[in-house]
């Protein structure tokens, strides 16, 4: 043992893995390092249907001023013509939430002001409506809800201050009921625009499917390679040597079968056993999941063909980076720059997007399914094509040696 420990190459796996883990911690720990992550272009919608004129804060003033105070490279606000258009945007997964200012907003503010001054008690607060795209996942929903609630609270506080000044100027007396109304002159209703059923697993189902797909890909490639290497060595020892091309072809065939099996088991477990909700056909979801499994498998297969035994050192960080950058567990808008950057190139992000559309957005092409499907297909063709090219070159080399 002492002689082995004196050989420098014996220590190579130790320091390589240590350096790799240090790099990964430095990259991934910042994702969870802040209790209030900085958002980047988080998409929200505002709808101003207010037709009245008020001496306080109108719908236009909310849109023009209060939003700017929250903006600053944080939120990306889109203006929709009406509530129906905003709902359609949310159903197409173009934004995570919307603030709807109704047509009678200013009128309600004026009625509230007059009631407080005259002492009337039969009056209601002004009303706003918040629409939430609950298909984006639990974290995304919380961020959108908090942002829109903050906007409403700011408007309510500002109007409350104006009303207090006018009441003091007029020496008006308030009943206990009106005092409560003065403290909260604006209220809101919160509506889930998609109307999803309860069994959505907080929108985490797409992420879990991609996570399992990715893990099965990296494990499948390495286990298939290992067992085929052992099996081919045993066959060779019995006097029946196998061509390297046969081993490679067998490994790719087993990869396809494994991908189909993983995709099928996922459908049975998620929709059969746990009864998770879905808005499109299970068969279509199965085909999309099968494509994702194939893409992940041949991505790692390609790496193993080029790097051999060192492939795991590349597969593992790519796998983790893809999962972190997918936007499945943590919204992409909250990720550090490096994850935001790689999310545009690694296939896991598009797999999560595609599955999310199929599960929660009725498989709408305009909701992102078209882009996700195209990019995943391109990745699959590239990965599978490279594996075929390598196998063909090996085949030619074997023929040349005969």
């Amino acid at each position: 043992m002492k002689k082995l420990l004196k050989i420098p190459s014996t220590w190579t796996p130790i320091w390589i893995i240590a350096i790799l883990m240090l790099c990964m911690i430095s990259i991934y720990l910042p994702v969870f390092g802040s209790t209030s992550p900085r958002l980047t272009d988080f998409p929200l919608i505002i709808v101003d249907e207010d037709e009245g004129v008020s001496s306080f804060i109108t719908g236009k003033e909310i849109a023009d001023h209060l939003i700017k105070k929250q903006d600053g490279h944080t939120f990306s606000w889109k203006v929709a013509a009406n509530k129906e258009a905003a709902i359609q945007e949310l159903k197409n997964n173009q934004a995570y939430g919307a603030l709807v200012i109704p047509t009678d907003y200013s009128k309600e503010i004026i009625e509230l002001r007059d009631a407080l001054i005259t002492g009337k008690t039969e009056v209601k607060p002004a009303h706003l409506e918040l629409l939430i795209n609950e298909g984006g996942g639990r974290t995304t929903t919380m961020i959108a809800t908090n942002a829109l609630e903050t906007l409403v609270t700011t408007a309510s506080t500002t109007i409350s201050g104006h009303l207090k000044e006018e009441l003091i100027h007029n020496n008006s007396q308030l009943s206990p009921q009106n005092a409560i109304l003065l403290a909260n002159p604006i209220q809101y209703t919160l509506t889930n625009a998609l109307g999803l059923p309860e069994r959505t697993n907080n929108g985490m189902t797409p992420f879990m499917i991609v996570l399992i797909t990715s893990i099965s890909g990296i494990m499948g490639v390495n286990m298939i390679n290992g067992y085929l290497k052992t099996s081919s060595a045993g066959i060779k020892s019995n006097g029946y040597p196998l061509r390297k091309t046969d081993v490679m072809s067998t490994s790719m065939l087993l990869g396809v079968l494994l991908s189909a099996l993983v995709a099928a088991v996922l459908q049975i477990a998620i929709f059969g056993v746990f009864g998770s909700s879905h808005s499109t056909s299970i068969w279509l979801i199965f085909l999309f999941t099968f494509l994702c499994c194939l893409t992940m498998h041949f991505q790692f297969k390609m790496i193993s063909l080029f790097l051999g035994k060192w492939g795991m050192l590349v597969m593992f960080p790519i796998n983790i980076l893809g999962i972190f950058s997918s936007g499945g567990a943590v919204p992409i808008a909250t990720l550090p720059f490096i994850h935001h950057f790689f999310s545009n190139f690694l296939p896991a992000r598009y797999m999560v997007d595609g599955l999310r559309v199929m599960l929660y957005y009725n498989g709408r092409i305009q909701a992102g399914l078209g882009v996700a499907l195209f990019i995943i297909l391109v990745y699959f063709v590239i990965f599978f094509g490279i594996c075929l090219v390598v196998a063909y070159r090996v085949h030619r080399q074997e023929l040349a040696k005969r």
Side-chain angles (χ1 to χ4, degrees):
M1 184 176 72
K2 291 182 178 180
K3 292 182 178 180
L4 285 175
L5 294 177
K6 291 180 180 180
I7 300 174
S9 60
T10 303
W11 297 92
T12 300
I14 305 298
W15 63 263
I16 287 180
I17 293 176
I19 293 175
L20 181 62
M21 293 302 104
L22 180 62
C23 293
M24 292 178 64
I25 289 174
S26 301
I27 293 173
Y28 303 127
L29 196 58
V31 175
F32 308 103
S34 175
T35 55
S36 56
R38 185 180 184 275
L39 301 175
T40 304
D41 296 329
F42 191 86
L44 295 172
I45 296 174
I46 186 164
V47 179
D48 181 16
E49 298 179 333
D50 186 17
E51 297 177 349
V53 177
S54 170
S55 59
F56 299 107
I57 295 181
T58 63
K60 185 178 185 303
E61 288 174 319
I62 293 178
D64 291 345
H65 300 291
L66 295 181
I67 288 177
K68 290 181 180 179
K69 294 181 180 180
Q70 291 195 57
D71 201 356
H73 304 292
T74 298
F75 299 105
S76 176
W77 289 93
K78 301 171 64 176
V79 178
N82 49 53
K83 177 180 175 180
E84 290 71 24
I87 292 176
Q88 191 61 36
E89 290 276 319
L90 296 178
K91 288 185 176 180
N92 287 337
N93 200 24
Q94 301 300 309
Y96 296 124
L99 170 65
V100 179
I101 305 171
T103 56
D104 55 353
Y105 170 75
S106 291
K107 179 182 177 182
E108 290 178 340
I109 293 294
I110 293 174
E111 292 177 351
L112 174 62
R113 175 247 186 202
D114 294 341
L116 292 176
I117 291 177
T118 58
K120 294 181 179 179
T121 57
E122 295 181 1
V123 64
K124 297 180 180 179
H127 177 262
L128 297 174
E129 185 174 5
L130 308 184
L131 303 175
I132 299 298
N133 173 2
E134 70 271 34
R138 184 176 183 179
T139 303
T140 301
T141 300
M142 290 175 59
I143 292 174
T145 302
N146 290 338
L148 295 174
E149 286 178 342
T150 298
L151 192 58
V152 174
T153 301
T154 302
S156 183
T157 302
T158 303
I159 290 178
S160 178
H162 290 327
L163 290 173
K164 288 177 182 177
E165 291 178 1
E166 188 164 354
L167 290 171
I168 292 174
H169 178 75
N170 294 329
N171 293 320
S172 300
Q173 300 295 321
L174 291 178
S175 65
Q177 181 179 346
N178 283 354
I180 296 175
L181 190 60
L182 176 62
N184 296 284
I186 299 179
Q187 295 184 7
Y188 65 89
T189 57
L190 188 67
T191 304
N192 291 328
L194 303 184
L196 296 177
E198 294 182 359
R199 291 182 176 273
T200 61
N201 303 313
N202 290 320
M204 293 294 289
T205 305
F207 172 72
M208 293 306 302
I209 292 176
V210 174
L211 175 63
I212 294 172
T213 296
S214 181
I215 294 174
S216 66
I218 193 172
M219 290 181 61
V221 166
N222 287 280
M223 292 185 69
I224 288 173
N225 288 345
Y227 277 94
L228 283 180
K229 183 178 180 181
T230 302
S231 299
S232 60
I235 294 175
K236 183 178 180 180
S237 65
N238 292 327
Y240 300 97
L242 294 175
R243 294 182 304 166
K244 190 174 181 180
T245 306
D246 294 332
V247 177
M248 294 177 64
S249 301
T250 304
S251 69
M252 286 192 283
L253 175 61
L254 291 176
V256 173
L257 296 176
L258 175 63
S259 298
L261 178 62
V262 171
V265 170
L266 282 172
Q267 310 308 303
I268 294 172
I270 293 172
F271 305 116
V273 177
F274 294 102
S276 299
S277 62
H278 55 92
S279 60
T280 50
S281 167
I282 291 180
W283 287 106
L284 294 177
I285 298 173
F286 164 75
L287 291 175
F288 188 87
T289 306
F290 180 40
L291 176 61
C292 293
C293 291
L294 287 173
T295 303
M296 283 294 190
H297 183 87
F298 283 102
Q299 172 185 240
F300 298 126
K301 180 65 178 177
M302 177 189 68
I303 294 173
S304 71
L305 289 176
F306 283 102
L307 299 180
K309 64 180 181 180
W310 298 103
M312 193 65 178
L313 293 176
V314 177
M315 295 180 198
F316 187 68
I318 287 179
N319 183 49
I320 299 298
L321 183 58
I323 292 300
F324 270 81
S325 303
S326 68
V330 182
I332 294 176
T334 68
L335 295 174
F337 170 77
I338 186 170
H339 300 85
H340 203 282
F341 175 78
F342 279 106
S343 69
N344 296 312
F345 303 101
L346 296 175
R349 179 256 181 96
Y350 301 99
M351 294 177 183
V352 169
D353 289 347
L355 284 166
R356 187 171 281 156
V357 174
M358 300 193 79
L359 289 173
Y360 308 133
Y361 300 96
N362 295 308
R364 291 186 179 89
I365 296 296
Q366 60 270 35
L369 180 59
V371 174
L373 186 59
F374 173 76
I375 293 178
I376 295 170
L377 279 170
V378 169
Y379 273 119
F380 169 69
V381 170
I382 292 174
F383 298 150
F384 185 62
I386 291 175
C387 291
L388 288 179
V389 169
V390 173
Y392 178 72
R393 291 182 62 182
V394 172
H395 176 66
R396 292 289 300 271
Q397 291 172 1
E398 289 178 337
L399 290 178
K401 291 178 180 180
R402 289 185 178 182

